[in-house]
Amino acid sequence: AMYQQKMRYARSTEVVAVGFVDVACTIYRLLLSQPAAAAVLEWFDANLPGPRNPFMSICVLQAIVDRAQAPAYIAYTMETLLDQYRMEHIDIGYFVVSRLKGFRLSYVEIIKKKALLRHELFTEWLPHTSGLEDHVVASLVKVLAASESVRAYQVAYPNDPDANMSWQLGWPQSGVMAASLLEDLLYGNTFDSRLKDAVKSSLEAADIMEYPSIKGRLTDILASAREEKIPDGVTNAADSAETPGAAGLAAASDAGVANVGDDATPEAKFEALPEKESWMKHIERTVKAHIHFVVDQKTTSLLETALKVLPHRHVAWGPHGAGAAPF
């Protein structure tokens, strides 16, 4: 390199290797030049200074660049690593260079599968196959397309204020189910073990969506969307049978309840349900979406002002579900 030919070093200076300079230039060109990726490094510098910062070594950045490869994947990988770390789904151990480099061990490969699923779900399944109403699809894409909006409106980081889930007020059940599935697939760790299998088998997004644990939920969403479009009082014989997902859920519930005996209390039966965690999350999300407490104000006008800023003011319940009600 020309700079080495022209450069005069002091005797105590360690000569910079050509390979190191080449790596540094590559990292700058593919990673640091992207504002989203650079912002991740800034967050770690501000919140985990010194030795606790997993990005203190250039080797970590090199491993991420080598594994993610494409610039779009690199930025998405950096954002997802930060998001999953803040959600406590991964820890500093996931940033070890040897782990990042390994094909089967690297969490970067799982993130790449999530990126493939994100594209497939948002461009194909949601608009064309899900059966969801257009306004529901538009809201799902708007909120669940990026981790920042997901943490603000779907599920917050630990120790942060609760997410504002009022955007789901008055939604059909199919829409709520779809939001939960997208969150679990793209921003949670529920399906990470399945994605590890997909990495080992080099599966594409369409193949991953055929896993029974994922396909069952997709089938339930479609069945629910179809049922919601049936006019009141009309029975659809084709949909009268249980869907595979619903049947599996019922079977699992029966098996769990059977393990505690017929004389068990309702609380004990619920604790024994295999899907208890999913039900608890569903209950918590439903409450947060539909209930908002307002502190009693000193005057009626102040209370009226406080109520007017709530999105709940647009929703009223009647014999056919939710509908707009200005007040």
Side-chain angles (χ1 to χ4, degrees), residues 306-325:
L307 292 173
K308 281 183 176 179
V309 301
L310 297 178
H312 303 66
R313 73 190 188 280
H314 295 301
V315 179
W317 294 91
H320 301 291

Side-chain angles (χ1 to χ4, degrees), residues 104-116:
R104 295 193 175 189
L105 294 177
S106 180
Y107 195 72
V108 176
E109 292 298 329
I110 293 179
I111 294 174
K112 289 164 68 174
K113 293 302 180 186
K114 292 191 179 196
L116 290 176

Side-chain angles (χ1 to χ4, degrees), residues 5 50 64 101 118-119 129 138 146 177 180 192 211 214 217 261 269 286 308 313-314 317 327:
Q5 296 174 3
I64 292 174
K101 285 184 174 180
R118 179 177 178 270
H119 177 77
T129 314
M177 293 164 64
S180 178
D192 279 6
Y211 278 128
I214 299 175
R217 290 178 65 173
K269 291 182 179 180
T286 301
K308 281 183 176 179
R313 73 190 188 280
H314 295 301
W317 294 91
F327 63 87

Side-chain angles (χ1 to χ4, degrees), residues 29 66 75 89 145 211 254:
R29 178 169 51 86
D66 291 345
H89 292 160
Y211 278 128
D254 291 343

Side-chain angles (χ1 to χ4, degrees), residues 83-143:
D83 178 68
Q84 295 298 284
Y85 177 80
R86 293 187 64 185
M87 283 299 295
E88 301 178 358
H89 292 160
I90 63 174
D91 55 32
I92 296 299
Y94 283 75
F95 295 83
V96 174
V97 174
S98 58
R99 187 168 185 173
L100 286 171
K101 285 184 174 180
F103 174 73
R104 295 193 175 189
L105 294 177
S106 180
Y107 195 72
V108 176
E109 292 298 329
I110 293 179
I111 294 174
K112 289 164 68 174
K113 293 302 180 186
K114 292 191 179 196
L116 290 176
L117 281 170
R118 179 177 178 270
H119 177 77
E120 180 73 17
L121 290 165
F122 287 167
T123 62
E124 295 297 330
W125 180 73
L126 272 175
H128 304 302
T129 314
S130 65
L132 299 171
E133 298 177 13
D134 291 343
H135 74 92
V136 172
V137 171
S139 294
L140 288 171
V141 172
K142 181 178 179 180
V143 172

Side-chain angles (χ1 to χ4, degrees), residues 76-305:
Y76 183 76
T77 295
M78 293 293 289
E79 290 179 310
T80 305
L81 284 171
L82 172 59
D83 178 68
Q84 295 298 284
Y85 177 80
R86 293 187 64 185
M87 283 299 295
E88 301 178 358
H89 292 160
I90 63 174
D91 55 32
I92 296 299
Y94 283 75
F95 295 83
V96 174
V97 174
S98 58
R99 187 168 185 173
L100 286 171
K101 285 184 174 180
F103 174 73
R104 295 193 175 189
L105 294 177
S106 180
Y107 195 72
V108 176
E109 292 298 329
I110 293 179
I111 294 174
K112 289 164 68 174
K113 293 302 180 186
K114 292 191 179 196
L116 290 176
L117 281 170
R118 179 177 178 270
H119 177 77
E120 180 73 17
L121 290 165
F122 287 167
T123 62
E124 295 297 330
W125 180 73
L126 272 175
H128 304 302
T129 314
S130 65
L132 299 171
E133 298 177 13
D134 291 343
H135 74 92
V136 172
V137 171
S139 294
L140 288 171
V141 172
K142 181 178 179 180
V143 172
L144 291 156
S147 58
E148 184 178 0
S149 53
V150 168
R151 302 312 169 200
Y153 298 106
Q154 182 68 11
V155 56
Y157 292 117
N159 302 319
D160 276 8
D162 289 341
N164 180 7
M165 297 187 65
S166 58
W167 61 289
Q168 294 182 20
L169 276 172
W171 264 30
Q173 183 64 22
S174 57
V176 177
M177 293 164 64
S180 178
L181 176 61
L182 291 171
E183 178 206 326
D184 288 343
L185 273 173
L186 305 179
Y187 302 99
N189 59 357
T190 304
F191 294 102
D192 279 6
S193 60
R194 295 285 81 196
L195 295 180
K196 287 180 183 178
D197 295 337
V199 169
K200 295 176 183 178
S201 303
S202 300
L203 299 182
E204 296 298 324
D207 301 315
I208 298 173
M209 291 167 65
E210 289 296 316
Y211 278 128
S213 56
I214 299 175
K215 187 174 182 179
R217 290 178 65 173
L218 293 171
T219 303
D220 286 348
I221 293 168
L222 179 59
S224 181
R226 287 175 174 172
E227 183 178 351
E228 289 157 1
K229 294 176 182 178
I230 301 173
D232 292 343
V234 177
T235 301
N236 190 337
D239 292 336
S240 61
E242 284 187 318
T243 63
L249 185 62
S253 300
D254 291 343
V257 173
N259 291 334
V260 298
D262 294 336
D263 56 343
T265 63
E267 292 80 7
K269 291 182 179 180
F270 179 75
E271 291 291 333
L273 289 177
E275 69 281 3
K276 172 198 167 186
E277 185 176 344
S278 297
W279 276 114
M280 289 300 295
K281 185 170 76 171
H282 172 72
I283 293 169
E284 181 182 1
R285 301 289 171 79
T286 301
V287 170
K288 287 182 178 179
H290 292 83
I291 298 177
H292 186 92
F293 293 100
V294 176
V295 178
D296 191 14
Q297 304 295 318
K298 294 182 179 179
T299 66
T300 304
S301 60
L302 288 176
L303 179 60
E304 182 180 359
T305 301

